[in-house]
Amino acid sequence: MLSLGVFVSGRGSNLQALIEAIAAGRLDARLALVVSNMAEAGGLALARAQGVPACALAAGQFASEEEYSQQLSTLLREHGVDFIVLAGYLHKVPAAVIRVFHNRILNIHPALLPAFGGKGMYGHHVHEAVLAYGCKVSGATVHLVDEEYDHGAPVLQRCVPVHEDDTAVSLAARVLEVEHALLPQAVQLFAAGRIRITGRQVTILE
Ligand code: GRF
C-alpha cells in the first residue's frame, strides 16, 4: 500500500477524488500527509476533516530555498510518505524532493500535454488557451514530475470534446470530471506495481 503525500493549492476536488477512491477500495493507499503552499487552501480543510495530517508550508516562510526544501523533506519523512501526488499544486517542488522521489511523483494537468502546459499554464488559463486556439478536443494528463513544469512522461491521458459554445468554465468542468477518474486510476497503477518506466516510456503492465 502506498503512503501518499498530496500537495494542493486550491479547493482540492482531486484530493477528494483520491479520498473517495480509497474509501471505495479502488485505490490501495493511505493518505499520510497533505501539504499546501496556501494556508487557506480548501484541500487542507478537507484533509483535516478526514483526520489526515495537513500542513501549510510556503517557501516564503524560510530564509532560503534550501531551508524550505529541508523542512519539506523532513515532513515527508516523518509522515512516512513514499509517493507524492500534485493535485492542483501551483508551486515548484524543490529539486531535492524530486530527486529523492524519482519516478514517484505524479501531477494532474487539465489539458493534453505537451500542448497547453508549462509555466503560467494553469487553471482557467489552460482552458482559455485551448478555446482561443480552436481545438476540437482537450483532456487531462497524469504525468511523472521532473524538474521542468509539466514535462515528465505521461502515465494516462484522456480526451474530452470541445463544444462550439464552450466557455473556459464549461470546458473546465468537463475536463475536471475526467481528472477525478484519471488521477486515482493512475495512482492505483503504481500501487499495484503495474508501471514500468524506461526513459520516457511508461508501460502499463497487465
Ligand atoms: C485541476 O484542474 C488540476 O488539473 C489543476 O488544478 C486544478 C485543481 O483543482 N492542476 P482541485 O483543487 O483539485 O479542485
Side-chain angles (χ1 to χ4, degrees), residues 7-10 37-38 86-92 121-123 149:
F7 290 24
V8 296
S9 296
N37 59 322
M38 314 284 279
L86 309 184
Y89 189 62
L90 300 178
H91 192 269
K92 210 158 192 182
M121 272 294 174
Y122 61 89
Y149 273 116

Side-chain angles (χ1 to χ4, degrees), residues 92-195:
K92 210 158 192 182
V93 177
V97 173
I98 292 179
R99 267 196 304 277
V100 170
F101 286 85
H102 180 64
N103 285 345
R104 286 182 293 134
I105 311 183
L106 291 181
N107 180 45
I108 177 110
H109 184 76
L112 298 171
L113 291 174
F116 307 108
K119 201 167 167 52
M121 272 294 174
Y122 61 89
H124 63 96
H125 300 292
V126 175
H127 306 294
E128 277 158 10
V130 168
L131 292 175
Y133 196 86
C135 291
K136 303 299 186 195
V137 295
S138 188
T141 302
V142 179
H143 64 93
L144 290 165
V145 171
D146 62 15
E147 289 185 29
E148 264 178 70
Y149 273 116
D150 298 329
H151 174 264
V155 175
L156 291 178
Q157 294 189 293
R158 192 172 297 162
C159 291
V160 303
V162 176
H163 298 156
E164 264 177 23
D165 60 353
D166 262 333
T167 62
V169 172
S170 61
L171 179 56
R174 195 172 309 120
V175 172
L176 194 64
E177 207 179 310
V178 167
E179 292 181 45
H180 293 164
L182 215 59
L183 184 60
Q185 244 177 51
V187 180
Q188 175 57 19
L189 288 172
F190 283 84
R194 291 184 53 203
I195 293 288

Side-chain angles (χ1 to χ4, degrees), residues 5-6 13 22 43 52 58 61 77 83 106 117 133 144 147 192-193 195 198-200:
V6 182
S13 69
I22 291 171
V52 173
Q61 296 164 227
R77 201 173 39 247
F83 197 93
L106 291 181
Y133 196 86
L144 290 165
E147 289 185 29
I195 293 288
T198 320
R200 280 196 71 85

